[in-house]
Amino acid sequence: MAKTDLSITELSADIRAAIAELKQRPEIESVGVVTRIGDGIAWIYGLSAAGYNEMLEIEGLGGRKITAFAFNLGEDEIGAVLLGEDIYVKAGAKVRLSGQVLEVPVGPELVGRVVDPLGKPLDGGPAIKAKQRSRVERPAPGVLDRKGVHEPLMTGIMAIDATVPIGRGQRELIIGDRQTGKTAIAVDTMVNQSRQKTGVINVYVAIGQKLSKIAALQARLKREGVMDQTIIVATGPSDPAALLYLAPYAGAAIGEYFRDNKQHALIIYDDLTKHAQAYRQMSLLLRRPPGREAYPGDVFYIHSRLLERAAKLSDKLGAGSLTALPIIETQAGDISAYIPTNVISITDGQIFLETNLFYQGIRPAISVGLSVSRVGGNAQSKSIKSVGGGLKLDLAQFRELAAFSQFSTDLDPETRQIIERGQRLTELLKQPQYSPYAIWEMYASLFAAGQGVFDIVPIEKVKAAEEALHRELKAKQPKLIETLNTGDKPTDAQNEAILKIAKAVAETYKETAKKVDKEQ
C-alpha cells in the first residue's frame, strides 16, 4: 500500500476528535470518517478492510445516504469517488463499508430501455426489476475459453463488409475526427442487425454525449424498429466523472449476460476518448502521478481490460459472442496521438474516417489505406469474400494514381482504365445513412462492378444503375436472392444470371447518356 500524506495535525479539531473516537472502536476496519471532500472525491480515514471498487455508504446532510466506491487504497486513508452530489457530504461524516462491489442489473428486462451506468431508468419508464445482477468489473475470458473469430457480423455497409469485415467476437475500432460519421457507422450496424433479423442484441454506451443527441437517437431507433433489441447506457456531459468512467464497464457487463447465455451481442462505446478524459480527471484529483498528456500511467490498462471482455466463446461455453466497436475521436486526423495508438494496439483492426473524403461527399468516408481488419476473410461470408478480395487493392491503386493524374493529361490506356474503374467503385461504395444493404445487394453490385459492367455507365449514373439492377433482380430472380442471402458462394449459372441482367441495365444507362449528349 502507498503511504499517504495525511497529517492529523493539519485537520480541524472536530475531525481530529472524530478520528480519535474512531480509533477506540473495535470495528475501525469497516467504519471511517471523511477528512476532506471536494470535486466528487472524498478522502476517508479508517476503512482498512476496504477492497478496490467496494461500495461505501456516507452519512450525508439531512439523513441522506450518499454512495461512493473505493478507488485509492492508502495505508492511513482511502480515496473514494462519489456517485452523487458532493454538496451533501461534509468533512467529519461517518462512512461504512457495504460489503458489496459495484454491480449493475443485467438480463432481458433491460432490452428496449435507456439506463444510467447503475441500471436506473432514464426513459421515464418503470424501475427495472432484473432477476440478475453482475459486477461492473469482471475478468475477461481466458484463452482456452475462447474460439477463433469466424462468423461475420454484417454491418450492411458495403465499404466495410467487403474491405474491412467484422466478425462476431471481434474488436474493431472506429476512428476519425469530429463529425466525420463515426456514430453513423455504429448506428447503421445496429439497424442492420434488426433488418436482417440476426438476433444480435445491441448495447449502445453513450459516454458524456449530449442528452438531446441520445433522445434523438432513441427516437430514430424506435422508428427503424431497432429499439426492440437495443439497450442504451447513457451519461451526459454534466454527469460526474465517476459515471462517465463506469459507463463502458456497465455496458460490457450487460452485454456479457447475452454472450454467456449462448446469444450474440454488439456493444458500441461512444466514445473512449471521453472515457479516458474522465479517468484522467478522477486520477489527478486522487493525486495519482500524471504521465504523457497528463494521463496516468495505467490509462492503457483501463481500456485493455475493458476491450478484452469482447470475445467469441468456445463451444463448451455455449459459443456466444460479444463484439465491440469502440469509437475514438482524433484531432486533425492525428492517428499517432497517445489515446488513439493505445486503443489501436488493443483492437483487432480499425476503420479510419478521413475528413477530406467526408467533405468530398464520399460517405462513409473510409480511408482504404489506413483501415484494416486483422481477422480479415475469416469474418466474411463466402460470397462477399469472392468479390471483395481485390476491391481494397483496386481502390488503393486508384487513389494513388488519381493524385498523380492531376499533373498529367496524357495517360496511357491502362492507367486511364484503373482511374475510370476506381471512380465507379468509389461511387458504388457511397451509401446514405439508415439504408444498410442485404448480402445479395452487396454481392450483385460488387460482382457486376468487378466484371466491368458499369464501365460503360457515366459516373453520375452509377448509383441509379445499381438501384435498377437491384430492382430487376428482385422482380425477376427472387429464388436467386434467397440463395445469395445465405452467404454461400454462388454457382457459375447464378453468376451468369446476375451478369445478364446487369449488362442489360448498363446498356440502358449507356443509351440514355448518348441521347442526353445528342440533345445537348
Side-chain angles (χ1 to χ4, degrees):
M1 287 188 180
K3 186 77 179 170
T4 63
D5 60 353
L6 175 68
S7 171
I8 300 290
T9 55
E10 291 174 12
L11 303 172
S12 60
D14 54 342
I15 297 173
R16 289 205 302 273
I19 290 172
E21 180 199 333
L22 189 66
K23 285 180 175 176
Q24 305 303 316
R25 301 178 67 166
E27 70 270 31
I28 188 169
E29 289 189 347
S30 58
V31 179
V33 60
V34 175
T35 57
R36 304 190 297 289
I37 181 82
D39 297 309
I41 303 292
W43 293 94
I44 301 162
Y45 181 84
L47 298 181
S48 54
Y52 181 71
N53 263 359
E54 186 167 355
M55 302 286 280
L56 313 174
E57 271 188 5
I58 303 174
E59 292 177 8
L61 299 175
R64 288 183 175 86
K65 297 283 184 192
I66 307 297
T67 307
F69 62 96
F71 208 65
N72 255 29
L73 303 177
E75 191 175 322
D76 297 319
E77 65 176 350
I78 66 167
V81 182
L82 301 185
L83 292 171
E85 293 287 343
D86 59 8
I87 56 171
Y88 301 114
V89 181
K90 297 293 179 195
K94 295 281 192 301
V95 188
R96 285 184 171 77
L97 289 183
S98 67
Q100 293 179 314
V101 292
L102 277 165
E103 287 184 337
V104 67
V106 296
E109 295 86 358
L110 279 88
V111 177
R113 303 298 302 273
V114 182
V115 297
D116 73 2
L118 301 175
K120 294 172 187 168
L122 296 174
D123 53 8
I128 290 158
K129 295 175 182 174
K131 291 172 188 168
Q132 267 184 263
R133 293 181 72 81
S134 175
R135 289 186 174 191
V136 167
E137 290 257 21
R138 285 176 61 197
V143 174
L144 296 177
D145 295 334
R146 295 172 182 254
K147 192 178 182 182
V149 174
H150 64 282
E151 299 167 295
L153 183 120
M154 302 299 291
T155 65
I157 300 167
M158 190 153 59
I160 293 174
D161 290 338
T163 60
V164 277
I166 300 168
R168 290 182 180 179
Q170 192 174 340
R171 301 153 302 176
E172 183 80 3
L173 173 64
I174 301 171
I175 184 167
D177 283 3
R178 184 177 166 80
Q179 298 292 322
T180 50
K182 300 185 297 298
T183 303
I185 284 177
V187 172
D188 277 359
T189 306
M190 290 160 65
V191 170
N192 195 51
Q193 306 317 306
S194 174
R195 295 258 178 98
Q196 305 306 321
K197 297 180 173 56
T198 59
V200 173
I201 300 294
N202 305 308
V203 183
Y204 179 82
V205 182
I207 306 166
Q209 301 286 338
K210 285 193 290 189
L211 298 180
S212 58
K213 184 183 171 185
I214 297 166
L217 174 66
Q218 184 198 8
R220 183 72 203 216
L221 292 178
K222 271 187 179 172
R223 279 209 304 281
E224 298 287 339
V226 186
M227 220 35 221
D228 298 338
Q229 60 187 77
T230 301
I231 301 161
I232 297 177
V233 180
T235 54
S238 61
D239 284 331
L243 285 181
L244 270 64
Y245 166 74
L246 289 174
Y249 297 105
I254 291 166
E256 281 173 332
Y257 169 86
F258 301 101
R259 182 200 71 190
D260 297 342
N261 283 278
K262 304 180 183 179
Q263 290 176 267
H264 302 283
L266 164 70
I267 187 161
I268 291 144
Y269 303 113
D270 192 7
D271 64 69
L272 290 187
T273 310
K274 290 189 180 74
H275 180 242
Q277 287 163 0
Y279 182 66
R280 173 169 62 183
Q281 181 184 326
M282 285 165 50
S283 297
L284 293 177
L285 289 168
L286 285 160
R287 299 183 184 174
R288 293 183 178 182
R292 182 175 162 190
E293 292 177 32
Y295 287 103
D298 62 344
V299 72
F300 174 87
Y301 177 61
I302 67 162
H303 286 154
S304 61
R305 73 172 189 254
L306 169 70
L307 293 168
E308 280 295 326
R309 291 164 75 172
K312 168 69 180 168
L313 293 185
S314 64
D315 293 336
K316 188 180 174 183
L317 293 175
S321 71
L322 177 62
T323 310
L325 294 182
I327 294 174
I328 287 284
E329 186 180 296
T330 53
Q331 304 291 323
D334 186 8
I335 202 170
S336 62
Y338 185 39
I339 299 300
T341 49
N342 270 358
V343 184
I344 284 169
S345 62
I346 299 163
T347 49
D348 307 311
Q350 71 272 348
I351 296 163
F352 182 65
L353 302 179
E354 273 190 81
T355 312
N356 290 344
L357 294 176
F358 186 84
Y359 290 128
Q360 285 170 30
I362 300 168
R363 298 175 191 178
I366 295 168
S367 164
V368 180
L370 291 172
S371 300
V372 65
S373 171
R374 295 191 186 97
V375 174
N378 293 345
Q380 274 180 312
S381 61
K382 289 176 184 173
S383 58
I384 301 298
K385 190 176 180 179
S386 67
V387 288
L391 183 64
K392 198 170 181 182
L393 183 63
D394 290 346
L395 285 168
Q397 273 185 327
F398 156 66
R399 288 198 182 154
E400 195 171 330
L401 288 171
F404 283 113
S405 68
Q406 292 172 17
F407 307 106
S408 173
T409 50
D410 187 25
L411 297 173
D412 62 276
E414 193 180 337
T415 305
R416 190 170 292 283
Q417 164 67 17
I418 291 170
I419 291 171
E420 291 281 330
R421 177 74 59 88
Q423 286 172 333
R424 283 158 180 78
L425 281 174
T426 301
E427 201 64 31
L428 210 59
L429 293 178
K430 288 181 184 177
Q431 202 171 330
Q433 201 178 351
Y434 308 115
S435 56
Y437 286 155
I439 295 174
W440 73 267
E441 290 173 312
M442 284 189 218
Y443 181 81
S445 298
L446 291 171
F447 178 70
Q451 294 294 315
V453 174
F454 292 131
D455 289 0
I456 60 171
V457 179
I459 293 163
E460 65 277 6
K461 297 282 184 184
V462 167
K463 282 310 275 183
E466 181 195 31
E467 286 169 21
L469 169 62
H470 293 166
R471 277 198 308 272
E472 288 291 303
L473 281 171
K474 211 170 185 179
K476 295 177 181 175
Q477 297 282 356
K479 284 186 179 175
L480 174 58
I481 285 171
E482 276 181 40
T483 312
L484 287 175
N485 249 357
T486 61
D488 291 333
K489 191 176 178 181
T491 61
D492 291 342
Q494 289 166 334
N495 282 336
E496 278 299 319
I498 296 168
L499 208 54
K500 188 180 175 185
I501 293 172
K503 281 177 178 174
V505 167
E507 283 296 329
T508 309
Y509 279 87
K510 181 187 174 186
E511 290 302 317
T512 311
K514 278 182 182 175
K515 283 177 189 174
V516 171
D517 287 342
K518 280 178 185 176
E519 285 168 12
Q520 286 174 349

